[in-house]
Amino acid sequence: MSRALFQRAHRSQPLWLATASGFALLASPAIAQQTGESPAAQEITGEPDFQTPDVAPVTTDAPAVAAEDQIGFAADNLNYDSDSEVVVAEGNVAMNREAISMRADKVTWNRKTGQVFAEGNVAIKSPEGDTAYGDRIELTDSLRDGVVENLLVVLDNGSRLAAIKGTRFANGNIELENAAYTPCPVEDAEGCPKNPSWQIRAVRVTYDRAKNKIRYKGARVELFGLPLIPLPGLSHPANSEAGSGLLVPEIRLDRSNGFEIAVPYYLRLASDRDITITPHLYTGAAPMLEGEFRALTDIGSFRINGYATYSSLVPLTGEDPDSRKRFRGYLESAGKFQFDPRWSFTYSGRIATDRTFMRRYDISRDDRLRSTFELERIGGNSYLSIAGWATQTLRRNDEQGQQPIALPIIDYRQRFADPWLGGQFELQLNTLAIGRTEGQDTQRAFAGARWDLRGLTRLGQEVTLTALVRGDVYHSDENLLTAIPGYRGKSGWQTRGIAAVAADMRWPFVGEFAGGTQTLTPRVQIVATPPIKNLDIPNEDSRAFDLEDGNLFAINRFAGHDRFEDGARITYGVEWNFSRPGFNISSSVGQSYRLSDKPALFPDGTGLTSRTSDVVGRTTIAYRDFLRLTHRYRLDKDNFAIRRNEFDATIGSRSTYAVLGYSRLNRDILLLGEELQDREEARVGGRVKVAQYWSVFGSAIVDLTEQRDDPLSTADGFEPIRHRLGVAYDDDCLSIALTWRRDYADTGDARRGNSFSFRIAFRNLGF
C-alpha cells in the first residue's frame, strides 16, 4: 500500500482527497463502477474473542489532510461511479481523518448517504491510542461512529473489550452487546494465546469516553472460565486511574469475632484526594467502621485512618469482660510536607482507646503506639531538627503515667573545614524536655564540638584522629518515682563536662585467594576520657545496651546522650573480606580492654562489666541473589560460652525462598529490672512456587526459653507463639490468597485459636 503503487495502477490519475462537500479530483477517474448499497448485516452469533486478529498494522500510507472535512485515501485499486457517487477502494486500503486512521481489505463509500462500509481485517486507531478490530464495520464518513461485527477494542493501557456487535458514536462512546472485558494478558511469555485469568461478561457494556468509565448491564465475573456471583451496577475506569465504587470484599474467620466480611467503598473526591469507607460485619462481635482519607497537596501528602465500634472490653489480665458496652477505636495519621529544598515537616500519630483493641481486630501487634513530629532544615553543612514524641503503652504491666512525653527535642549541627590541619569540625547544640503525668520529669541542654582528621600513612594505614568536648546542664524532679535507681540521677540542677580523644588505625592487606580477592584488615583503637559524673545525671535515652559488633569501636558505646563511657581503653579486632563474582564473605571479630580499674558503668550481662570485654563478631555470606546468611555472636571472655547467638538466613529466589532466624541470649544474670532476661527463639518462614502462578507460603515463631533462663516465664522450652499457612495465586492482573493462622496466647479479648482469611484482588475493578 503506497502512493507509488496507487499512481501506477491509475496511470497518474489518482483520487487522493475527499471532502464533505465533494471530491477534490486531481484527474478524472479512469475506471467507474456502480457498486450499489452494501448488503444487510448478517445475524450476530457466537462468543466474544479477546485474541488480536492477524491484521496488518494501521499505517500512515494515506496522505495527510489539510482540513477537518477531508479524508485521506491510499489503496491498491480505486473505482468511482460519478453517477451514484460510490467509491470502492480495494487492496490494502488506508484512510485517515482528524487523526483517526483505518485499514481494511475493502472500503465502500457512498457519498450521498455518508455511509462507509469496511470489510476484511478491519482496524481503526483513535488519537488516544485505542485500536478497534472487526470483521465488518459500518461507519459514517467521519470515521467516528458506526456499527461493528465481532468487535475487539484494545485500549491504550492494554485492557480489552470484545463483543459480538458494537456501536461507536460520534462522541467516542461505545456500546457493546454480548460483551466481555479484561485487563489481563491474553498471550503467554512465548506469545501463544491463553485465556485471561478473569473477565467480566455482560449483556451490554457502555464505554463513556468523556468520563473514562466502563459500565455494565447484567454483568458477572468469570474466574478461570467459571462464573462467579453477578455484579449489578458494575462500573470501573477504563485506564489505571482510580474511580469511585465498591472494592473487592475481604472475608475472614477467627475465634474472637467469628465470621467477618468487609466491603470497602472507594470515593474519589478529586485527582489528588480520596476516601475509603469500610464497614466490617461480624457474627461474633458488634459491627466496626473503618475510614481512610488521603490527600496530595502542592507541598506534600498526608493520610488519616481510623476504626470505630461500640462493644464490651476484655482486660489484658484475662478477667471476665465488662458487660457494659463502650466506644472503642483506633486513629492514626501520617504525612510529610516539603516547604522548600531545605525545610520539611514530618509527622505520625497513633492512638487507641484501650490496650486490646488492635489485637482483637488484628489491626497490629505492636505493644506501643508512638506519635512523632519533626521539623527539619538540611543545609549544605548544617542541620536543624525540632521534634517531639509521645508513647501510648499497650503492655500488660506498664503504667501509662510512666510513659515519657518529649517536647521539644532540638538538635542543631554545623560542620566546617579545619583551616589548620585539614580535618573537619562539627558543632552541636541539643535540648530535651521529658515529662510524665505520674513520673520523673527531666530537662537537658548541652553544647559540644568534635574534630575529626582522617589520613593515610606511607605504609597504607588508615588513621583517624578524633577529639570532642561537651558541656551538659540537667534538671529533674520526682526522681524517686523511677523504679530503677541507676536511671534516676540526682534531683534538681546538675552539670557535667565531657572530653574524649581517640585514635583509630586500620591497616588493610589485599591479595588474591581462591580465584577471588581477599582483604585482611587489623584494627586498633585507643580512647581516653576523664572521669565523668554519670550517676548524678538522669538516664532517659541510654538505657538499652548490649555489646555487639556495631558499637564495639564507637567512641561512646552507650546509645543516646545521657550516659558517656569514661576511662581509657584499647579496642582491637580484625576484619576479613573475600569476594569473587557472585560470591562474598565478610567477617569481623573484636574485643576491648579497659586500662583503668574503675568499676564498670555497664550492667551485668552486657559484656562490658569487667576490664576485658567479651568477644563479639559477625559473619555474612552472600551468594548471588540466592543466599544471604548472617551470624552474630558474643563469647564470654573467661570460658568462651556463647552469650549471644543469632542466625538470620534468606535462601532462594523471589518465587521460592526460605527465611530462617534463631536468637539465643544467655546473659547469665537475674537482674530483671534491666529487661536483660535470657531469651531463646526460632523463626521460620518461606514461600514455595508449585506452579507458574501458584505458591504455598507459611511462617512460625517458637519460644524456646526455659524456666532456668527466665524464672518468670511459663514456657517449657518449646512454646509456639503463632504460625500461619496459606496458598496464593498471583499473575499480572489477579491475586488470590487463603491463609490459616493460629495464635497460642490470649491477649485481653484477642483470644488464642484459629483464624482464616480469604483475599482476592482484581486489577482495574470496582462496582
Side-chain angles (χ1 to χ4, degrees):
M1 177 169 27
S2 67
R3 179 177 301 198
L5 177 60
F6 185 91
Q7 290 174 333
R8 287 196 299 270
H10 294 280
R11 298 181 181 180
S12 300
Q13 297 178 350
L15 170 66
W16 281 113
L17 298 178
T19 69
S21 58
F23 278 123
L25 296 178
L26 302 182
S28 299
I31 302 174
Q33 177 179 342
Q34 175 68 40
T35 61
E37 297 294 332
S38 298
Q42 299 178 357
E43 182 181 358
I44 300 172
T45 59
E47 295 291 329
D49 185 7
F50 286 121
Q51 297 299 324
T52 304
D54 187 13
V55 176
V58 180
T59 65
T60 58
D61 288 350
V65 295
E68 293 183 357
D69 58 351
Q70 292 181 335
I71 298 177
F73 267 97
D76 293 343
N77 296 285
L78 183 68
N79 295 313
Y80 172 58
D81 189 328
S82 58
D83 295 331
S84 61
E85 297 190 37
V86 174
V87 181
V88 178
E90 295 182 287
N92 299 319
V93 183
M95 300 176 63
N96 66 67
R97 179 174 183 174
E98 299 178 8
I100 300 176
S101 303
M102 183 182 75
R103 66 91 48 220
D105 293 340
K106 178 180 179 181
V107 174
T108 303
W109 181 20
N110 190 317
R111 292 187 58 243
K112 292 182 178 180
T113 63
Q115 290 179 308
V116 178
F117 296 92
E119 301 173 83
N121 298 320
V122 183
I124 301 177
K125 188 172 184 178
S126 71
E128 294 80 10
D130 306 336
T131 303
Y133 301 92
D135 293 341
R136 184 176 184 275
I137 300 179
E138 178 183 345
L139 300 168
T140 63
D141 54 12
S142 67
L143 301 186
R144 290 187 176 274
D145 52 344
V147 179
V148 187
E149 297 175 13
N150 293 326
L151 171 67
L152 170 66
V153 179
V154 180
L155 303 178
D156 58 348
N157 69 335
S159 301
R160 293 171 181 252
L161 282 166
I164 300 303
K165 178 181 179 181
T167 303
R168 181 185 176 96
F169 301 97
N171 60 1
N173 290 356
I174 300 175
E175 186 176 280
L176 309 177
E177 298 179 14
N178 190 5
Y181 164 82
T182 184
C184 303
V186 296
E187 293 182 351
D188 58 21
E190 288 74 29
C192 300
K194 73 166 187 174
N195 293 325
S197 304
W198 66 270
Q199 60 177 301
I200 300 174
R201 298 292 305 273
V203 175
R204 180 174 288 107
V205 178
T206 302
Y207 170 42
D208 189 331
R209 176 168 291 279
K211 296 182 178 179
N212 194 37
K213 202 158 193 176
I214 299 176
R215 294 184 174 87
Y216 299 81
K217 181 179 180 181
R220 70 178 186 272
V221 173
E222 290 189 359
L223 187 65
F224 304 117
L226 301 176
L228 297 181
I229 60 175
L231 301 174
L234 175 66
S235 66
H236 61 83
N239 56 19
S240 58
E241 294 183 0
S244 300
L246 291 174
L247 303 179
V248 178
E250 298 179 5
I251 299 173
R252 178 182 170 84
L253 176 66
D254 63 32
R255 183 177 177 183
S256 298
N257 303 311
F259 179 80
E260 172 192 356
I261 181 169
V263 185
Y265 181 82
Y266 176 82
L267 178 61
R268 192 182 191 198
L269 303 177
S271 60
D272 57 358
R273 59 198 60 206
D274 55 39
I275 293 177
T276 303
I277 300 175
T278 307
H280 295 258
L281 304 178
Y282 308 93
T283 59
M288 182 175 67
L289 185 66
E290 176 188 358
E292 182 180 36
F293 174 75
R294 301 183 303 176
L296 179 66
T297 69
D298 294 337
I299 59 173
S301 63
F302 69 95
R303 66 176 180 86
I304 303 173
N305 190 29
Y307 300 78
T309 187
Y310 194 75
S311 64
S312 58
L313 170 67
V314 176
L316 282 168
T317 56
E319 299 172 354
D320 293 335
D322 189 340
S323 59
R324 295 175 302 171
K325 294 185 179 295
R326 67 193 69 189
F327 172 80
R328 303 181 68 193
Y330 167 68
L331 181 66
E332 68 173 344
S333 180
K336 182 172 183 177
F337 304 93
Q338 192 76 38
F339 304 114
D340 60 35
R342 298 187 176 224
W343 285 95
S344 65
F345 179 77
T346 306
Y347 80 92
S348 174
R350 306 176 70 190
I351 187 172
T353 56
D354 56 76
R355 302 192 184 196
T356 62
F357 175 81
M358 298 185 67
R359 292 201 177 189
R360 163 73 181 272
Y361 294 99
D362 201 28
I363 300 171
S364 170
R365 306 193 71 85
D366 294 341
D367 58 2
R368 294 183 179 93
L369 302 181
R370 189 179 178 94
S371 299
T372 66
F373 77 88
E374 185 172 26
L375 178 67
E376 286 184 295
R377 183 189 184 279
I378 302 176
N381 290 295
S382 64
Y383 174 77
L384 172 64
S385 170
I386 303 174
W389 49 261
T391 302
Q392 179 184 6
T393 182
L394 304 181
R395 290 186 170 188
R396 175 180 302 179
N397 298 319
D398 284 358
E399 296 183 13
Q400 183 59 44
Q402 292 283 339
Q403 304 307 308
I405 301 174
L407 186 69
I409 308 169
I410 302 176
D411 188 66
Y412 175 75
R413 306 187 188 201
Q414 177 71 49
R415 289 181 178 177
F416 50 91
D418 172 13
W420 301 289
L421 299 177
Q424 180 176 267
F425 279 109
E426 179 179 292
L427 301 179
Q428 182 180 11
L429 302 175
N430 183 281
T431 67
L432 169 67
I434 287 182
R436 296 177 175 85
T437 58
E438 300 177 6
Q440 179 174 331
D441 299 331
T442 302
Q443 299 84 42
R444 176 192 74 201
F446 71 77
R450 174 168 173 158
W451 172 78
D452 290 282
L453 175 64
R454 176 183 174 273
L456 297 176
T457 69
R458 294 181 178 180
L459 296 178
Q461 296 106 331
E462 177 187 348
V463 179
T464 302
L465 303 178
T466 302
L468 64 87
V469 293
R470 203 178 88 190
D472 302 346
V473 178
Y474 280 79
H475 179 270
S476 61
D477 52 28
E478 305 290 345
N479 300 56
L480 294 179
L481 297 178
T482 298
I484 301 177
Y487 294 163
R488 296 172 184 170
K490 293 183 178 180
S491 62
W493 292 96
Q494 302 293 328
T495 60
R496 178 177 64 177
I498 297 174
V501 293
D504 192 319
M505 189 273 288
R506 297 162 53 95
W507 196 355
F509 296 89
V510 182
E512 296 182 357
F513 175 72
T517 302
Q518 67 170 336
T519 304
L520 183 68
T521 308
R523 183 177 182 182
V524 178
Q525 180 195 63
I526 299 176
V527 180
T529 303
I532 298 174
K533 296 193 305 180
N534 276 300
L535 296 181
D536 293 345
I537 302 300
N539 184 1
E540 297 282 5
D541 63 5
S542 302
R543 298 186 177 185
F545 176 82
D546 200 5
L547 181 65
E548 56 185 13
D549 63 285
N551 59 20
L552 177 65
F553 284 92
I555 294 178
N556 179 29
R557 292 187 282 198
F558 280 104
H561 301 289
D562 291 337
R563 290 290 180 266
F564 199 98
E565 186 178 1
D566 56 2
R569 67 179 185 272
I570 179 172
T571 305
Y572 42 88
V574 62
E575 301 171 358
W576 180 72
N577 180 274
F578 169 73
S579 63
R580 57 181 301 171
F583 183 74
N584 179 265
I585 301 177
S586 62
S587 181
S588 64
V589 61
Q591 187 181 35
S592 68
Y593 177 77
R594 288 193 294 113
L595 302 179
S596 64
D597 57 0
K598 180 181 177 180
L601 182 64
F602 298 94
D604 289 339
T606 60
L608 282 174
T609 307
S610 303
R611 296 180 64 177
T612 303
S613 76
D614 287 349
V615 178
V616 295
R618 178 187 62 185
T619 299
T620 300
I621 301 174
Y623 175 68
R624 301 186 184 274
D625 293 331
F626 180 79
L627 170 67
R628 185 172 184 86
L629 171 65
T630 301
H631 177 218
R632 298 181 181 89
Y633 57 89
R634 177 161 63 89
L635 306 179
D636 190 286
K637 65 183 185 308
D638 296 322
N639 54 17
F640 294 104
I642 300 177
R643 299 303 180 194
R644 178 178 182 177
N645 196 19
E646 295 185 20
F647 287 93
D648 289 288
T650 302
I651 306 170
S653 62
R654 292 187 176 183
S655 57
T656 298
Y657 60 86
V659 179
L660 308 174
Y662 171 79
S663 300
R664 167 67 172 167
L665 301 179
N666 179 22
R667 296 186 174 100
D668 196 26
I669 59 172
L670 298 177
L671 184 59
L672 304 181
E674 291 281 355
E675 296 186 353
L676 299 176
Q677 301 94 327
D678 294 342
R679 290 285 186 268
E680 189 173 8
E681 180 181 275
R683 306 171 299 279
V684 61
R687 179 180 292 265
V688 178
K689 183 178 180 180
V690 296
Q692 184 176 6
Y693 301 114
W694 290 93
S695 60
V696 177
F697 61 89
S699 63
I701 300 176
V702 180
D703 185 1
L704 303 178
T705 307
E706 299 182 9
Q707 288 191 354
R708 62 183 176 87
D709 298 322
D710 182 3
L712 299 181
S713 174
T714 59
D716 59 1
F718 190 90
E719 186 73 28
I721 299 175
R722 61 180 174 274
H723 70 249
R724 65 174 184 143
L725 184 66
V727 59
Y729 174 92
D730 288 285
D731 64 18
D732 295 336
C733 64
L734 177 66
S735 179
I736 304 174
L738 177 63
T739 305
W740 164 50
R741 194 184 76 188
R742 180 173 179 82
D743 290 286
Y744 291 86
D746 294 332
T747 306
D749 49 3
R751 297 303 190 188
R752 71 178 69 191
N754 300 316
S755 63
F756 301 87
S757 64
F758 176 75
R759 181 182 61 86
I760 182 169
F762 301 95
R763 193 189 76 183
N764 257 8
L765 180 60
F767 58 92

